[in-house]
Amino acid sequence: MAERYSRQERFAPIGKEGQALLAEKHVLIVGAGALGSANAEMLARAGIGRITIIDRDYIEWSNLARQQLYTEEDAASSRAKAKAAEARLKAINSTINVEGIAEEFDPENAELLLKDVDILIDGTDNFNTRFIINDAACKYKIPWIYGGCVKSDGISLSILPGQTPCLQCLIDQLPQDIETCETAGIIGPAVQVTAAYQTAECLKFLTGHSMSTHLVSFDVWGRQYSSIDVVKLKDPHCASCSDDAQFPYLKKEKGIRTAVLCGRNTVQVRPGRKENVNLERLAQRIEPFAGEARVNEVLLRFHMEEKRFVVFKDGRTLIHGVEDVQEAKKLYHRYVEA
Amino acid sequence: MNIQLNGRSIDLPDNVTTVLELLDSYDIKKKISVVEHNKEIIRRFDYEKAKLADGDKIEIVHFVGGG
């Protein structure tokens, strides 16, 4: 077993001392899609002592071309990504602690999730969640590493709250009409290079080295690369990372909340407060009307009115086949909440 | 006019004379970007004023959201 990390220890900037540090660290990965999977696998193999990975989604066939932790069996059974990732990471490295959480990262659970965390890795696919991550990381002074990829392009930036510019310093408004992996496509190599930059920065930070202040971007197909030192863009009046920060994205909303998952013809509906839904009982209730009601460890899926419903234990529901928020709310009230 | 864009030599058409026009010519004017002009970062509201000259070095990074 002592052999396990020998090549990584031979790498001078890490050494045996660095390896010992890695074993004591806790990394939180938000999102277990393509970037989350790639980062998680590298970090588990590298011997990070504790990895927590949170994801709100379940595995579909369209994920398998690039989300490296998952198998055909996972897609066939609509397994929650967080749970499948946990099992796979434990199989890769049984000597570390791994926990998968099948929930959404949101202002309600952010504080608890960031407790005892050394660094956060961005494995999300949307800017809504990234701005929540950014505010939470700034508030609790946890470094985080932004990563994004689409088509053959990727980008990454390390953020050290209070010292380097945060996402809000660089982007003062939520980007609109942005290309997503569903609308513009994505290839595996773009994921791997982006995750490689993220994991390398993470290993640097955890072994006591300084992270880069450069925003790096590339096109792995067109062979373009660019790197800009953004340290001067730190905004002294930033709403998220300055001394008088307001943390605008941590404000908790009340009542039912909805989110349109862009490019997926899907609306997510969340109850005002998290509650433990008895999925078996709900399945029995809708079984007479619904097509194929199936329950697994964390979710129930069924068909109704030509829509596909996926209900998680905490009441959060994905409704596929609908883009209108009002219609989604109606369907939610009718079949899930009743 | 010839510039270095993300490390590559590019010949610009005559109607591209500012950073804003350069972004527009690559259809990324509306995207959120960070632009460096001869090692100085240009603020978004200065894109129109930033005149390009032969031999300039430009780096453009635009944010992407997928993952």
Side-chain angles (χ1 to χ4, degrees):
Chain A
M1 289 296 264
E3 279 280 288
R4 181 163 196 147
Y5 304 113
S6 58
R7 303 304 188 268
Q8 192 163 281
E9 288 170 354
R10 190 67 59 83
F11 179 64
I14 293 181
K16 281 193 184 305
E17 299 76 18
Q19 192 61 48
L21 286 170
L22 294 181
E24 296 167 4
K25 304 297 183 183
H26 181 194
V27 177
L28 171 66
I29 302 170
V30 179
L35 285 178
S37 289
N39 276 289
E41 178 160 348
M42 281 190 277
L43 292 170
R45 289 185 189 278
I48 305 300
R50 186 174 165 205
I51 295 173
T52 305
I53 186 160
I54 178 168
D55 191 282
R56 65 182 180 186
D57 208 355
Y58 61 93
I59 299 151
E60 297 179 274
W61 289 94
S62 66
N63 300 146
L64 298 184
R66 67 191 187 286
Q67 302 188 12
Q68 67 193 69
L69 295 177
Y70 311 127
T71 63
E72 293 182 353
E73 200 183 317
D74 296 326
S77 61
S78 300
R79 206 162 174 205
K81 288 184 181 177
K83 294 297 172 191
E86 178 186 307
R88 175 68 184 148
L89 295 170
K90 282 178 169 167
I92 286 170
N93 192 342
S94 62
T95 70
I96 61 170
N97 288 305
V98 181
E99 186 188 7
I101 301 174
E103 283 181 34
E104 187 169 50
F105 182 87
D106 60 27
E108 280 86 28
N109 60 18
E111 182 176 358
L112 190 65
L113 285 164
L114 285 178
K115 204 168 179 280
D116 306 326
V117 160
D118 292 289
I119 191 166
L120 185 157
I121 301 280
D122 168 22
T124 68
D125 62 358
N126 66 90
F127 277 105
N128 287 307
T129 312
R130 287 194 183 95
F131 277 97
I132 297 171
I133 290 174
N134 187 60
D135 272 6
C138 289
K139 186 172 180 185
Y140 302 111
K141 303 273 183 260
I142 305 291
W144 73 282
I145 304 174
Y146 157 60
C149 51
V150 71
K151 300 190 287 189
S152 56
D153 303 333
I155 184 168
S156 181
L157 177 71
S158 308
I159 295 168
L160 203 53
Q163 294 181 47
T164 69
C166 77
L167 197 64
Q168 180 76 31
C169 294
L170 299 187
I171 310 179
D172 51 11
Q173 72 218 38
L174 214 55
Q176 304 292 326
D177 295 329
I178 202 145
E179 288 170 320
T180 70
C181 301
E182 288 76 23
T183 58
I186 173 94
I187 54 171
V191 173
Q192 297 297 329
V193 180
T194 308
Y197 278 111
Q198 289 179 288
T199 296
E201 286 288 293
C202 179
L203 294 176
K204 278 160 73 178
F205 177 78
L206 295 178
T207 54
H209 299 276
S210 300
M211 294 195 292
S212 172
T213 56
H214 285 240
L215 179 67
V216 65
S217 86
F218 61 85
D219 170 356
V220 71
W221 190 276
R223 291 230 170 194
Q224 290 239 15
Y225 167 87
S226 187
S227 169
I228 299 178
D229 189 350
V230 293
V231 74
K232 284 186 187 157
L233 291 180
K234 185 161 168 33
D235 176 2
H237 307 293
C238 176
S240 297
C241 74
S242 67
D243 289 339
D244 42 69
Q246 314 284 310
F247 311 114
Y249 295 92
L250 293 184
K251 300 219 173 7
K252 292 167 189 163
E253 297 165 54
K254 294 196 172 102
I256 280 203
R257 280 160 293 167
T258 53
V260 179
L261 305 192
C262 42
R264 286 183 56 182
N265 195 25
T266 299
V267 176
Q268 173 181 274
V269 184
R270 295 181 46 179
R273 79 166 64 135
K274 288 179 188 172
E275 50 195 314
N276 251 334
V277 177
N278 187 326
L279 296 178
E280 297 284 354
R281 197 177 303 160
L282 179 57
Q284 282 168 14
R285 200 182 74 220
I286 52 132
E287 188 91 71
F289 322 102
E292 301 174 56
R294 292 207 184 118
V295 180
N296 71 19
E297 56 199 330
V298 296
L299 59 85
L300 158 71
R301 59 207 155 108
F302 61 89
H303 281 84
M304 192 79 91
E305 296 188 21
E306 291 170 10
K307 313 284 188 291
R308 199 151 50 91
F309 289 68
V310 178
V311 185
F312 290 82
K313 269 184 186 164
D314 61 0
R316 192 166 58 83
T317 300
L318 299 175
I319 307 176
H320 302 280
V322 55
E323 274 184 345
D324 179 67
V325 165
Q326 293 311 321
E327 189 191 351
K329 275 188 187 173
K330 254 186 242 167
L331 291 164
Y332 176 82
H333 288 306
R334 194 176 303 156
Y335 297 116
V336 181
E337 201 182 44
Chain B
M1 172 164 48
N2 181 276
I3 63 164
Q4 292 283 322
L5 177 60
N6 291 359
R8 284 189 181 186
S9 173
I10 303 281
D11 281 315
L12 294 180
D14 291 343
N15 60 345
V16 177
T17 60
T18 66
V19 166
L20 186 71
E21 286 162 357
L22 180 66
L23 291 171
D24 200 20
S25 73
Y26 281 91
D27 213 20
I28 53 175
K29 194 171 76 174
K30 286 189 181 146
K31 289 187 179 172
I32 295 176
S33 308
V34 177
V35 178
E36 197 180 63
H37 184 193
N38 295 332
K39 295 278 170 197
E40 287 290 324
I41 291 177
I42 309 285
R43 298 285 180 163
R44 192 159 33 130
F45 42 82
D46 290 330
Y47 287 172
E48 203 169 351
K49 285 186 278 176
K51 292 271 181 214
L52 297 172
D54 202 49
D56 277 0
K57 288 193 169 68
I58 303 280
E59 296 285 327
I60 300 174
V61 169
H62 69 263
F63 286 89
V64 297

